[in-house]
Amino acid sequence: GSSINWPPEFHPGVPWKGLQNI
Amino acid sequence: LETLTSTLPSASPQEQKQMLGERLFSLIQAVQPTLAGKITGMLLEINNSELLRMLESPEFLLSKVDEAVAVLQAH
């Protein structure tokens, strides 16, 4: 697939979504 | 950091990454203000014990930040 949105960006105070695909 | 290491084991995997991310972001923001979000996102893919080592060792963290910046620029 497309890797254009990699890496997931961390924003302080916002729940990090990076683990959703694990 | 002591609070973090004592709280971390009782947190969910999602919460663990969130807590580590908040700490990493504040440190990374000081050296890479514009890329801090993406660098933190990249580093959070590393296992938590390694992330704790980064929070304990500024030199280790900076070397990982440099690696992440190089990867981002190549991406």
Side-chain angles (χ1 to χ4, degrees), chain B residues 30-44:
Chain B
V31 288
Q32 291 287 348
T34 56
L35 292 173
K38 286 192 172 296
I39 295 169
T40 306
M42 281 179 68
L43 295 184
L44 284 176

Side-chain angles (χ1 to χ4, degrees), chain B residues 13-70:
Chain B
Q14 182 74 53
E15 289 169 332
Q16 291 177 14
K17 292 293 186 185
Q18 187 73 31
M19 287 189 271
L20 289 163
E22 299 281 353
R23 299 293 289 259
L24 286 166
F25 183 88
S26 64
L27 295 172
I28 294 169
Q29 198 178 28
V31 288
Q32 291 287 348
T34 56
L35 292 173
K38 286 192 172 296
I39 295 169
T40 306
M42 281 179 68
L43 295 184
L44 284 176
E45 295 175 2
I46 301 171
N47 70 62
N48 289 355
S49 59
E50 197 84 337
L51 294 175
L52 282 170
R53 274 185 60 207
M54 290 181 209
L55 291 174
E56 289 166 355
S57 165
E59 284 182 10
F60 185 47
L61 175 64
L62 287 176
S63 73
K64 287 293 183 183
V65 168
D66 283 348
E67 283 179 28
V69 170

